């Protein structure tokens, strides 16, 4: 009887109890098969260790524990401080608590506060999500992540952003964290549902589902629930954030305080083809990238709407957003005047390492980003809008080129 | 050291010398080092580490799970998510590479570049592996015992040897140059 591989590995690592260690040792002394396996395991461990050693810091740097503790304490304390700028009564439904029966009250409250006028205000959406994501990530990373995540829009305009020009401490801003935890409410209306057919998905998302015919295999079809993000602007806090990131020069429109903006995101379809294993999981707040080697993800969703009070100076907000992204005030002012902020999503992409281009796809103009890969491994993100429906495609694998992405996108039936 | 949800709650209630403080002090450097291996940049590793502790404080495990195990589970989740964001990581690595070059003696820039390229390939390989396999490798290489890895990843301690051997095989199969060996 030979020793199982895992036990030999544990023996080599001195992870067996003393009695078992001795037993394995005795066996190894007399068993050439297990000796050979031990040698093979040991050799592989050495080789893999040599590679992993390259991840260790070449320049030792002691982590700043005291500073980090202070930052953590400040962050926790700030979140626990009651805020004076609450528009909503305390019976305001908690994020995600859609079964409390308070929605009607919210609607009434909303109607009293504003004459509701629905219109897309993409600049705000971008700003909100940019800031939301910045909590956990650095800004460029956040932008890249959200490319397929939340934004579903009508027109796309790409601007290139130099990572050096972004405020490096945005992700560390404690005021930003407070804003995200207290001024932004997120509600999800239901759970993610895995469905068995395109017809079922069509019923759930309220429009015919189109699927690419050029991908082999049965996709995993998931319907993402509708959701709503409500943002109550707190001008004092926004100013504090700008101060914190060293951009107190950026001017926001007057009279923002208390303005409530809601983003309604309809239910959408998510279809996964190929080897799409979910990411690490375990943390519902984090994006869960697909980690499969050859995976194509297709998203179809009706364009979200943003509701904001009439008269909101969208152009000025867009200008501030561009400045936060590193544009000079003159350029931002010029750019902001020449764009229809009510229908256009300005996609910021880092100016280094990312190759994007406008492409004709599905009969309209879309944007595709080829991500830097490793060796033969590639990935792309594609986004286009047709007839009020946002489509997104993400491919990764050895053949995930722009040409292949276009081929898949143009095969939608 | 094992912390329960009740103890975390007590800490949240304002106990000055809390168990959470102990958890922080005992694990801060190790969590930072673990995250550094994955992202290759100290300031990003520290930001992520701070987020790890914030999450553990705000959202302790639902049951009386071992808190330090939970801590490392959150850390590996955040670390691998960051690792998979290739674009961002590359920028950091380029920056780290420049910094390393600035600090290196003039005679060994080629070595620094080679090491950086290898580290990049290693991180790429980890990001392509099954998440559990990649986590086991990085935790083991961070100096954790089988028992600690089992706690962090919610696995049976007796399975770690098998999974580690499998993970190393998977690493070699995925590493770009492994065919040349």
């Amino acid at each position: 009887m030979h020793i199982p591989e895992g036990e030999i590995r544990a023996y080599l690592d001195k992870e067996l109890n003393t009695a078992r260690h001795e037993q394995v040792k005795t066996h190894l002394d007399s068993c050439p098969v297990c000796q050979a396996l031990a040698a093979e395991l040991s050799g592989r461990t050495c080789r893999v260790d040599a590679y992993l050693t390259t991840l260790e810091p070449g320049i030792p740097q002691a982590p700043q524990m005291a500073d980090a503790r202070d930052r953590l304490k400040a962050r926790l304390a700030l979140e626990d401080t009651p805020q004076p700028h609450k528009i909503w009564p305390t019976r305001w439904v908690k994020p995600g608590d859609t079964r409390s029966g308070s929605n009607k009250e919210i609607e009434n409250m909303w109607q009293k506060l504003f004459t509701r006028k629905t219109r897309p205000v993409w600049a705000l959406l971008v700003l909100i999500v940019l800031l939301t994501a910045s909590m956990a990530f650095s800004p460029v990373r956040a932008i890249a992540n959200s490319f397929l995540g939340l934004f579903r829009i009508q027109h796309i305009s790409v601007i290139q952003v130099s990572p050096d020009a972004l405020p490096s401490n945005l992700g560390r801003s404690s005021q930003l964290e407070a804003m995200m935890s207290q001024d932004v409410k997120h509600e999800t209306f239901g759970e993610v549902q895995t469905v068995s057919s395109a017809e079922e998905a069509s019923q759930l998302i309220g429009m015919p589902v189109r699927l690419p015919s050029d991908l082999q295999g049965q996709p995993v079809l998931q319907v993402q629930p509708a959701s709503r993000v409500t943002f109550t602007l707190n001008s004092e806090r926004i100013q504090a954030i700008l101060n914190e990131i060293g951009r107190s020069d950026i001017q926001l429109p007057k009279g923002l305080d208390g303005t409530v903006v809601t983003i309604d995101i309809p239910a959408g379809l998510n279809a996964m083809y190929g080897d799409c294993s979910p990411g690490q999981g375990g943390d519902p707040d984090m994006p869960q990238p697909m980690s499969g080697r050859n995976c194509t993800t297709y998203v179809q969703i009706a364009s979200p709407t943003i509701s904001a009070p009439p008269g909101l100076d969208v152009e000025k907000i867009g200008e501030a957003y561009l400045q936060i992204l590193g544009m000079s005030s003159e350029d931002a002012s010029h750019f902001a005047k020449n764009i229809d902020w009510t229908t256009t999503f300005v996609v910021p992409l880092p100016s280094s390492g990312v190759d994007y281009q406008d492409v004709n796809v599905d009969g309209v103009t879309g944007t595709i980003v080829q991500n830097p890969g490793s060796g033969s491994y590639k990935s792309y993100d594609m986004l286009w809008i047709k007839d009020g429906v946002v489509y997104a495609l993400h491919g990764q694998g050895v053949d995930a080129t722009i040409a292949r992405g276009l081929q898949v996108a143009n095969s939608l039936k | 050291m094992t912390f329960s949800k009740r103890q975390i709650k007590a800490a949240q209630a304002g106990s000055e010398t809390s168990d959470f403080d102990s958890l922080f002090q005992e694990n801060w450097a190790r969590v930072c080092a673990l995250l550094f291996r994955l992202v290759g940049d100290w300031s990003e590793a520290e930001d992520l580490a701070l987020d790890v502790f914030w999450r553990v404080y705000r959202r302790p495990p639902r049951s009386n799970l071992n808190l330090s195990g939970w801590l490392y589970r959150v850390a590996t989740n955040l670390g691998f998510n960051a690792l998979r964001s290739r674009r961002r990581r590359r920028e950091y690595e380029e920056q780290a590479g420049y910094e390393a070059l600035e600090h290196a003696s003039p005679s060994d820039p080629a070595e620094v570049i080679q090491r950086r390229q290898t580290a990049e390939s290693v991180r790429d390989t980890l990001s392509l592996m099954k998440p559990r396999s990649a986590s086991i490798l990085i935790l083991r290489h961070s100096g954790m015992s089988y028992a600690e890895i089992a706690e962090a990843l919610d696995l049976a301690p007796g399975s770690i040897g098998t999974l580690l051997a499998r993970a190393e095989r998977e690493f070699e199969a995925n590493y770009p140059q492994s065919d040349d060996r």
Side-chain angles (χ1 to χ4, degrees):
Chain A
M1 189 70 142
H2 298 300
I3 307 283
E5 178 183 85
E7 212 164 14
I8 294 181
R9 179 62 218 261
Y11 165 81
L12 294 169
D13 283 338
K14 298 187 172 49
E15 285 278 354
L16 294 175
N17 63 43
T18 314
R20 186 60 187 154
H21 185 90
E22 286 307 314
Q23 285 171 352
V24 173
K25 185 172 187 298
T26 306
H27 178 88
L28 281 174
D29 286 344
S30 62
C31 177
V33 173
C34 289
Q35 278 173 19
L37 179 57
E40 181 193 331
L41 289 173
S42 178
R44 186 176 295 120
T45 300
C46 284
R47 293 194 298 271
V48 173
D49 267 357
Y51 281 120
L52 290 172
T53 300
T54 63
L55 303 185
E56 289 173 6
I59 310 160
Q61 179 179 327
Q64 302 295 313
M65 187 164 80
D67 176 52
R69 251 178 94 189
D70 291 345
R71 280 167 58 196
L72 181 61
K73 279 184 176 172
R75 183 172 170 177
L76 293 169
L78 192 70
E79 287 168 1
D80 293 337
T81 307
Q83 296 302 308
H85 291 281
K86 286 274 184 190
I87 279 191
W88 303 109
T90 51
R91 64 189 175 197
W92 167 252
V93 62
K94 287 180 183 171
D97 185 7
T98 56
R99 289 168 294 182
S100 70
S102 304
N103 284 345
K104 193 72 186 169
E105 292 167 8
I106 295 162
E107 283 172 17
N108 293 338
M109 190 66 164
W110 174 268
Q111 284 159 0
K112 281 178 196 166
L113 281 172
F114 299 112
T115 306
R116 186 167 186 166
K117 181 181 174 185
T118 303
R119 62 178 184 178
V121 188
W122 298 113
L124 270 173
L125 171 60
V126 171
L127 186 62
I128 291 162
V129 181
L130 170 69
L131 298 184
T132 307
S134 297
M135 280 185 69
F137 310 105
S138 49
V140 174
R141 160 86 194 284
I143 293 156
N145 272 342
S146 53
F147 191 67
L148 273 184
L150 187 54
F151 302 123
R152 282 101 190 186
I153 359 83
Q154 297 184 356
H155 305 294
I156 303 163
S157 177
V158 174
I159 58 164
Q160 293 240 285
V161 174
S162 164
D164 296 336
L166 287 164
S168 61
N169 51 354
L170 186 58
R172 298 181 190 183
S173 164
S174 56
Q175 289 288 342
L176 177 63
E177 287 162 11
M179 182 179 86
M180 298 319 303
S181 63
Q182 291 170 31
D183 301 343
V184 179
K185 314 285 179 194
H186 185 259
E187 297 166 88
T188 303
F189 304 108
E191 303 286 331
V192 176
Q193 290 184 60
T194 301
V195 296
S196 54
S197 68
E199 291 71 29
E200 194 182 346
S202 299
Q203 282 189 344
L204 287 168
I205 69 170
M207 67 174 152
V209 160
R210 303 170 71 202
L211 290 173
S213 58
D214 199 31
L215 285 171
Q216 292 183 340
Q218 192 64 25
V220 174
L221 299 176
Q222 288 182 336
V223 172
Q224 303 285 335
S227 59
R228 176 181 295 159
V229 178
T230 308
F231 185 19
T232 307
L233 278 79
N234 176 336
S235 56
E236 216 170 272
R237 181 124 62 208
I238 295 171
Q239 194 58 55
I241 293 168
L242 292 175
N243 294 344
E244 210 169 25
I245 64 172
R247 291 307 308 267
S248 50
D249 56 306
I250 294 176
Q251 297 295 312
L252 286 166
K254 294 194 189 313
L256 275 186
D257 202 31
T259 299
V260 177
V261 177
T262 58
I263 306 155
D264 283 299
I265 303 153
L269 169 79
N270 191 9
M272 288 164 284
Y273 292 80
D275 169 26
C276 298
S277 51
Q280 285 287 294
D283 192 331
D285 287 351
M286 295 297 293
Q288 298 297 312
M290 294 294 122
S291 63
R293 297 199 69 178
N294 289 292
C295 166
T296 306
T297 311
Y298 163 74
V299 172
Q300 178 183 336
I301 186 168
S303 207
T305 51
I306 300 186
S307 309
L312 192 65
D313 191 346
V314 185
E315 186 182 306
K316 193 76 180 166
I317 292 173
E319 195 179 317
Y321 161 64
L322 293 170
Q323 286 186 73
I324 289 173
L325 292 176
M327 209 179 259
S328 73
S329 60
E330 294 77 20
D331 288 350
S333 173
H334 180 72
F335 191 96
K337 281 186 175 62
N338 287 290
I339 197 161
D340 180 0
W341 288 98
T342 61
T343 58
T344 307
F345 167 38
V346 178
V347 184
L349 289 175
S351 57
S352 59
V354 173
D355 182 22
Y356 85 91
Q357 54 184 272
D358 288 340
V359 286
N360 287 321
V361 55
D362 198 18
V364 297
T365 301
T367 299
I368 190 165
V369 177
Q370 177 83 63
N371 305 316
S374 164
S376 57
Y377 182 88
K378 302 177 184 69
S379 76
Y380 63 80
D381 290 304
M382 194 186 301
L383 188 66
W384 72 98
I385 298 141
K386 186 176 181 180
D387 301 330
V389 179
V390 180
Y391 298 91
L393 193 64
H394 171 82
Q396 59 191 49
V398 288
D399 70 340
T401 58
I402 287 180
R404 176 64 186 145
L406 283 171
Q407 200 178 355
V408 174
N410 285 321
S411 75
L412 281 179
K413 301 284 184 200
Chain B
M1 182 177 290
T2 303
F3 297 91
S4 68
K5 185 175 181 180
R6 181 182 52 77
Q7 287 168 311
I8 281 281
K9 289 289 181 197
Q12 288 170 347
S15 167
E16 195 59 37
T17 317
S18 67
D19 290 328
F20 186 80
D21 270 351
S22 309
L23 181 82
F24 187 92
Q25 286 180 30
E26 288 167 15
N27 291 280
W28 169 254
R30 201 177 185 189
V31 169
C32 280
L34 168 71
L35 290 166
F36 178 89
R37 284 178 166 84
L38 292 175
V39 299
D41 174 82
W42 272 119
S43 74
E44 191 184 8
E46 286 186 37
D47 281 351
L48 282 169
L50 201 64
D51 219 26
V52 168
F53 282 97
W54 178 80
R55 279 160 196 270
V56 169
Y57 186 89
R58 283 291 183 220
R59 291 174 222 141
R62 288 201 178 87
S63 58
N64 287 351
L65 288 174
N66 180 297
L67 191 56
S68 58
W70 178 251
L71 178 75
Y72 286 97
R73 191 183 311 178
V74 174
T76 47
N77 283 348
L78 290 185
F80 275 106
N81 278 333
L83 171 60
R84 292 195 180 92
S85 174
R86 291 163 179 274
R87 283 166 281 194
R88 182 60 184 165
R89 177 168 56 75
R90 277 176 208 287
E91 284 159 22
Y92 270 129
E93 283 186 348
E94 279 167 18
Q95 185 59 36
Y98 297 141
E99 285 174 9
L101 279 172
E102 282 168 11
H103 288 82
S105 63
S107 59
D108 62 358
E111 191 184 322
V112 171
I113 290 169
Q114 176 62 43
R115 184 184 170 99
R116 183 162 60 86
Q117 286 172 343
T118 305
E120 193 174 315
S121 299
V122 170
R123 291 190 181 103
D124 282 347
T125 305
L126 288 170
S127 72
L128 291 174
M129 290 170 64
K130 291 193 186 80
R132 188 178 68 183
S133 301
S135 299
I136 285 176
L137 271 191
I138 205 74
L139 290 174
R140 179 65 185 164
H141 200 263
S142 299
M144 291 179 82
S145 68
Y146 281 20
E148 288 173 315
I149 296 171
E151 272 174 12
L153 302 180
D154 198 20
L155 296 166
S159 69
I160 300 300
T162 305
L163 295 174
L164 194 51
R166 199 179 292 164
E168 288 174 345
R169 200 174 288 122
E170 193 184 336
F171 179 91
E172 283 207 328
N174 281 283
Y175 192 78
Q177 294 170 6
S178 55
D179 291 341
D180 302 331
R181 243 189 326 270

